[in-house]
Amino acid sequence: MKRICIYGLGAVGGLMAARLAAAGVAVNAVARGPTLAAIQSNGIELRETISGRSVITRHALNAAEAPAELGVQDLVVLAVKTTGMQQVAAEIGPLLGKHTTVLSAMNGVPWWFLHGMDPELARIGLNTVDPQRVISQAIDPASVIGCVTHLSAAAPAPGVVQHVAGHRLIMGEPMGAVPGPRCEQTMNVFRTAGFEVEPADSIQREIWFKLWGNMTVNPISALTGATGDLIMADDLVRAFMSRCMLEAAAIGRRIGLPIEVDPEERHAVTSQLGAFRTSMLQDAEAGKPLELDALVAAVVEIARQLQIPTPQIDTLLGLARLKARVAGMY
């Protein structure tokens, strides 16, 4: 894979681009506004802590606003907010060729989620994340490799990315458990950049498990303005989160993605993160659109079509969506 493009230079996309460039990979990138200007002027700045020492490096990227300026790529990494995917679908065409692989590294339920799963599930629509299937028509699900990120990064300024913690990426093809050649190639690309890359037996199961925790703490943080430690310390809130998670686990069992963990076990892991600010809280504080559709509404949509009751998740979605609408973020 010689032609690699990172679509979106936020925290995760910026970290991937900087790490790849540091490993000697010629990286293309799609960016806009102040981020594009900063990259074109100074490259991307990577801030890391290595052996207890703060290290800052800069790396050149070939960045452009229009995908047509970059041409067909071997690998396109989608690291954008899910709220921007319809615009991406309208613009991404020039990057995609017959053999282009698309790595989907985003939060929540993606447009291709049901691709390759039980044929019975094909009748389920995902209009919340792929209205009128416009994204599926622009980006063929068969070209996709899913990626679940287990790391933390921040973008404190345009063209600057701060690695906070973790290096783990889980990748897999929606169609099966055994990584094919293009998945192996993609994993190797990121291994050369210092990421800990693991193949997934089922990438959808990995996505659902990560969603299982994020779908509650993220919208609750946006509703309340609370950091993770305060959310987890409130017994009533924690119990409400558990009830939502039990409903999501029931959906998971129905679609072949069982979760063999008790909500309290997941809460204990979240509690260890301390006073962290979720990505949705950061978006809410910045007045950006909230990823409620991919993290919560898609779960409700799947449940409705399978006739699985979700009164707790419904309440969470209704309150968070109303809050976001009033603030002009939905």
Side-chain angles (χ1 to χ4, degrees), residues 5 13 32 74 132 195 229:
C5 179
R32 53 177 48 89
D74 298 317
Q132 288 77 53
F195 291 97
D229 58 329

PDB file of all heavy atoms in Angstrom, residues 5 13 32 74 132 195 229:
ATOM      1  N   CYS A   5      -4.244   7.676   2.451  1.00  0.00           N
ATOM      2  CA  CYS A   5      -4.871   8.970   2.750  1.00  0.00           C
ATOM      3  C   CYS A   5      -5.648   8.889   4.048  1.00  0.00           C
ATOM      4  O   CYS A   5      -6.441   7.961   4.251  1.00  0.00           O
ATOM      5  CB  CYS A   5      -5.809   9.375   1.610  1.00  0.00           C
ATOM      6  SG  CYS A   5      -6.665  10.940   1.895  1.00  0.00           S
ATOM      7  N   GLY A  13      -7.448  10.735  13.759  1.00  0.00           N
ATOM      8  CA  GLY A  13      -6.870  10.818  12.425  1.00  0.00           C
ATOM      9  C   GLY A  13      -5.515  11.506  12.427  1.00  0.00           C
ATOM     10  O   GLY A  13      -4.596  11.090  11.715  1.00  0.00           O
ATOM     11  N   ARG A  32      -9.451  20.681   6.176  1.00  0.00           N
ATOM     12  CA  ARG A  32      -9.969  21.983   5.731  1.00  0.00           C
ATOM     13  C   ARG A  32      -9.778  23.029   6.819  1.00  0.00           C
ATOM     14  O   ARG A  32      -9.403  22.708   7.943  1.00  0.00           O
ATOM     15  CB  ARG A  32     -11.447  21.873   5.341  1.00  0.00           C
ATOM     16  CG  ARG A  32     -12.355  21.263   6.398  1.00  0.00           C
ATOM     17  CD  ARG A  32     -13.810  21.261   5.937  1.00  0.00           C
ATOM     18  NE  ARG A  32     -13.962  20.758   4.602  1.00  0.00           N
ATOM     19  CZ  ARG A  32     -14.157  19.475   4.280  1.00  0.00           C
ATOM     20  NH1 ARG A  32     -14.220  18.575   5.249  1.00  0.00           N
ATOM     21  NH2 ARG A  32     -14.292  19.096   3.029  1.00  0.00           N
ATOM     22  N   ASP A  74      -4.616   3.706  -2.367  1.00  0.00           N
ATOM     23  CA  ASP A  74      -4.658   2.286  -2.027  1.00  0.00           C
ATOM     24  C   ASP A  74      -5.439   2.059  -0.735  1.00  0.00           C
ATOM     25  O   ASP A  74      -6.151   1.069  -0.586  1.00  0.00           O
ATOM     26  CB  ASP A  74      -3.248   1.730  -1.855  1.00  0.00           C
ATOM     27  CG  ASP A  74      -2.432   1.821  -3.129  1.00  0.00           C
ATOM     28  OD1 ASP A  74      -2.977   1.514  -4.202  1.00  0.00           O
ATOM     29  OD2 ASP A  74      -1.250   2.212  -3.050  1.00  0.00           O
ATOM     30  N   GLN A 132     -31.322   6.901   3.365  1.00  0.00           N
ATOM     31  CA  GLN A 132     -31.520   6.517   1.963  1.00  0.00           C
ATOM     32  C   GLN A 132     -30.296   5.809   1.368  1.00  0.00           C
ATOM     33  O   GLN A 132     -30.085   5.810   0.168  1.00  0.00           O
ATOM     34  CB  GLN A 132     -31.886   7.729   1.091  1.00  0.00           C
ATOM     35  CG  GLN A 132     -33.289   8.263   1.322  1.00  0.00           C
ATOM     36  CD  GLN A 132     -33.413   9.085   2.586  1.00  0.00           C
ATOM     37  OE1 GLN A 132     -32.651  10.028   2.800  1.00  0.00           O
ATOM     38  NE2 GLN A 132     -34.357   8.724   3.434  1.00  0.00           N
ATOM     39  N   PHE A 195       1.657   1.114  16.272  1.00  0.00           N
ATOM     40  CA  PHE A 195       0.383   0.742  16.893  1.00  0.00           C
ATOM     41  C   PHE A 195       0.373  -0.751  17.207  1.00  0.00           C
ATOM     42  O   PHE A 195       0.998  -1.553  16.515  1.00  0.00           O
ATOM     43  CB  PHE A 195      -0.782   1.090  15.971  1.00  0.00           C
ATOM     44  CG  PHE A 195      -1.016   2.559  15.800  1.00  0.00           C
ATOM     45  CD1 PHE A 195      -0.495   3.222  14.693  1.00  0.00           C
ATOM     46  CD2 PHE A 195      -1.723   3.284  16.735  1.00  0.00           C
ATOM     47  CE1 PHE A 195      -0.692   4.583  14.521  1.00  0.00           C
ATOM     48  CE2 PHE A 195      -1.934   4.643  16.576  1.00  0.00           C
ATOM     49  CZ  PHE A 195      -1.412   5.302  15.471  1.00  0.00           C
ATOM     50  N   ASP A 229     -15.627  10.619  36.320  1.00  0.00           N
ATOM     51  CA  ASP A 229     -15.592  10.247  37.733  1.00  0.00           C
ATOM     52  C   ASP A 229     -16.877  10.625  38.452  1.00  0.00           C
ATOM     53  O   ASP A 229     -17.387   9.861  39.283  1.00  0.00           O
ATOM     54  CB  ASP A 229     -14.380  10.888  38.419  1.00  0.00           C
ATOM     55  CG  ASP A 229     -14.376  12.417  38.301  1.00  0.00           C
ATOM     56  OD1 ASP A 229     -14.893  12.941  37.280  1.00  0.00           O
ATOM     57  OD2 ASP A 229     -13.841  13.079  39.209  1.00  0.00           O
TER      58      ASP A 229
END
